Each structure stands twice: as structure tokens, then as C-alpha cells.
Amino acid sequence: MAVLLSTKAAAIAEWEAALSALDPTLVLHRHPFAGDPAEIEAVVMWTGHDPADLRRYPNLRLIVSMGAGVDHLLAPPGPPPGVPVARLVDARLTQAMSEWVLLNVLRFHRQDPDYRAQQAGRIWRELPAPDTARRRIGILGLGALGADAAGKLAALGFPVAGWSRRPKSLPGIACHHGPDGFEAVLRQADILVCLLPLTPATRGILDARAFALLPRGAFLLNAARGGHVAQGDLLPALESGQIAGAALDVTEPEPLPPDSPLWTHPKVVLTPHAASVTIPASVAPQVIENIRRARAGEPILNRVDPAAGY
Ligand code: NDP
Ligand code: OXD
């Protein structure tokens, strides 16, 4: 029985090395697999792999995402019914995302775009000093990533409110949930951070209505998925000043097309889906453990609920 790996050409050798180092007996194949489909018992995959391909393997017992997100593998027709899907929860993935969030919260909080513009014009002028205790942060998604970022921002002294699907309690964070909670978080978010999974319930959630709920001149950070932002609503919100600046790590589509106005927009900071990149050696132990569990019929770690979409 074998494991099928499916990711970018540049990353596949690193995945093979990380998994083989922990279990040299593991038989690994690369996608696309031309052998007998009955051989494949687990698929470890990233984007670019058509989920319909998962139906080809009659002995499949486990599907693993190579990232925290699973929208790519839950896309229609979805995984074969009954086959467990696992995602990654990893300390290094979490740490890297919190670094990206802190970098961009501080960038806007400390008026870095304005100071860079002043520098370009050789202008030596002090702007009004920012007040951390009054810069309210809203975090959409209080899961592995959102909860960590929220805690680190609160530790810096920012007032932090967060939003989840189900009720939640996190020390030092004003936790909200459900539709009323969404509005409550947005109404007071001077800086809004999106760390939601992309599901049918969250696609397009950052639209003109949501932007209008924000305090005028709010900043937006999106490191979740490009599909959370309603295409066409962001630019007008930036142009009107309702949103004063945006840091985007994700777009739809990716890569961002060369003619997108976001590339050169003075209020937009872009990174190429690089906020938090999976390190195969760091996550290999949980992947190997899940393969062992799938073989033994034991509960899978970080199992995804396909009905909830994450
Ligand atoms: P988790 O599953 O741990 O957390 C998801 C959070 O979102 C939970 O708090 C969940 O609520 C909440 N949520 C889900 N649906 C809704 C909804 N309909 N309404 C309100 N809240 C909702 O995910 P992670 O924190 O690990 O990752 C989040 C996302 O970040 C990933 O799905 C991925 O898309 C993105 N990501 C991006 C990376 C990058 O480099 N740009 C890297 C890694 C991840 P509840 O707590 O109630 O379940
Ligand atoms: C992930 C990602 O979901 O890198 O892990 O986007």
C-alpha cells in the first residue's frame, strides 16, 4: 500500500525526504500516478489536484491537506464519502502567520505607508502619535491561527475582538459569534484581520456591506483566501477612503493577474500567498501518525468536518 503525494514540482522532493526520514518503509508515489489505483491508501495533496481524482482509488483511507486550509480538496465533487480528511495544525505554521499579522498590523498602526511616502518626498514631519490602547483590532476566525494572532496582539496592548462560528472564550479577547457577532466585531475594528477558512458560508463575506460596517478609514488584512473578499467591492472602498489600506497575502485568482490594479495601488501591500508556508519536516510527524491511525482504524488528528467546510 502506498501514499500519493501531490504538490508543486518545487516542493515534492522536500515532502518525500521529510516523510521517508521518519518512515523509510513508506512507499511514496508522485501525482499523476500511472500504476494500479488500488495501491493508493492515502493522498497527501495541495492545490492544483482535481478532487475528482480522489474517486479513482478504491482503497483510499485518508486524505491529508498539505496546508491548514482544505477548500481545495472539498471543492466539488468533494472527497469520497466516508474517507477521513485531515488538515495541518502546526506550531511553525501558526508562528509564521502571527508574524505576518503583526508585521502588517504594526505597518498600518505605525503609519508606515505615510512615512514611506514622506521619505520619498524628503519630508521630515512627525505625524500624530498612534495610541495602541485605542487601536481596536477585529479578527475573523479564532481557530489555530486567529487565536494565536489575537493573543499576541492583545499582549502588545491592542484591544482585540474576535469572531468564530461557535461561542468561544479566550483570555483577554472579546469573543463574538454568529451574525450579530460579525456586525459587532466589524463596527469596532480599526484594523480587521481575516483568518477564516473559505467555505460556502464565508465566501464573499468581505463585501461592500461589511466594509460599510467598519469605522471609516479602517485597515484590512487578508491572509485567509482571496475568495473571502467580494471581487469588485474592495477597490471602491479603497478609493472612497472607507478602507485606508489593505495588506493582502491571498487573491482570487492566484497568481494575481498582471493587469490587476491591486499591483500598483498605493494603499495595497501584496505578498504572494507567503504569509505562512508549510515546512514538510515540521508537519511530517502528524502526517505519518495519521497514516498509522488510518491503517489502525483509529481517530484521525485534525480531522475536517466536510459538512462545515473546514
Ligand atoms: P481553523 O479551522 O483552526 O479555524 C477557523 C476559525 O474560523 C474558527 O474559529 C471557526 O469557528 C471560524 N469559522 C469558520 N466558519 C465560520 C463562520 N461561518 N462564521 C464564523 N466563524 C467561522 O483554521 P486555521 O486557523 O488553522 O486556518 C484558517 C485559514 O487560514 C485556513 O483555512 C486557510 O484558508 C488560511 N491559511 C492561509 C495561509 C497563508 O499562508 N496565507 C496559511 C495557513 C492558513 P469555530 O472556532 O467556531 O470552529
Ligand atoms: C494553508 C495555506 O492553508 O498555506 O496552509 O494557505
Side-chain angles (χ1 to χ4, degrees):
M1 294 294 255
V3 177
L4 183 66
L5 297 179
S6 173
T7 184
K8 297 176 209 157
I12 195 113
E14 195 180 343
W15 273 94
E16 287 166 341
L19 296 174
S20 302
L22 291 185
D23 182 355
T25 69
L26 215 53
V27 179
L28 300 174
H29 292 297
R30 292 183 178 189
H31 176 71
F33 177 57
D36 178 4
E39 245 195 81
I40 303 298
E41 63 177 339
V43 175
V44 183
M45 64 187 270
W46 191 225
T47 53
H49 185 140
D50 180 356
D53 176 71
L54 298 169
R55 311 261 165 163
R56 285 184 57 221
Y57 311 108
N59 295 317
L60 196 59
R61 317 177 196 209
L62 176 68
I63 302 165
V64 182
S65 170
M66 287 180 176
V70 289
D71 43 296
H72 58 292
L73 56 79
L74 297 185
V83 177
V85 175
R87 68 188 199 96
L88 299 178
V89 177
D90 174 63
R92 290 179 73 177
L93 206 57
T94 303
Q95 165 76 15
M97 181 57 81
S98 288
E99 288 170 2
W100 185 93
V101 171
L102 292 178
L103 170 72
N104 287 293
V105 163
L106 293 176
R107 180 198 306 283
F108 292 129
H109 173 61
R110 296 304 308 245
Q111 303 136 306
D112 193 55
D114 297 331
Y115 279 123
R116 297 287 69 78
Q118 287 193 184
Q119 182 178 350
R122 297 168 188 254
I123 298 166
W124 187 271
R125 184 171 61 219
E126 196 180 314
L127 297 171
D131 184 350
T132 309
R134 287 173 179 273
R135 183 84 74 179
R136 301 158 300 173
I137 315 281
I139 303 210
L140 303 180
L142 290 174
L145 304 182
D148 189 72
K152 288 184 165 123
L153 288 162
L156 283 179
F158 291 103
V160 181
W163 188 60
S164 55
R165 189 165 63 97
R166 298 162 289 193
K168 198 149 202 166
S169 171
L170 293 172
I173 312 298
C175 293
H176 302 262
H177 68 279
D180 294 347
F182 180 72
E183 197 165 324
V185 170
L186 264 69
R187 282 198 186 284
Q188 58 78 66
D190 300 313
I191 301 181
L192 184 70
V193 183
C194 180
L195 287 172
L196 288 166
L198 186 62
T199 70
T202 65
R203 174 169 282 282
I205 196 165
L206 297 173
D207 58 4
R209 178 189 159 267
F211 296 149
L213 291 171
L214 294 168
R216 185 164 175 80
F219 298 97
L220 172 68
L221 273 57
N222 186 16
R225 289 290 182 264
H228 287 116
V229 176
Q231 304 292 317
D233 287 358
L234 179 58
L235 282 172
L238 287 164
E239 298 309 330
S240 72
Q242 177 61 14
I243 294 189
L248 307 175
D249 184 59
V250 286
T251 60
E252 194 170 84
E254 291 180 8
L256 186 65
D259 62 351
S260 168
L262 293 174
W263 281 111
T264 51
H265 199 290
K267 294 180 179 171
V268 173
V269 178
L270 289 171
T271 43
H273 203 140
S276 180
V277 177
T278 301
I279 298 167
S282 180
V283 300
Q286 68 185 274
V287 175
I288 297 280
E289 170 63 9
N290 264 341
I291 292 169
R292 186 197 70 71
R293 286 173 178 237
R295 284 175 173 159
E298 293 175 16
I300 299 299
L301 303 172
N302 305 320
R303 188 167 176 174
V304 165
D305 172 6
Y310 69 102

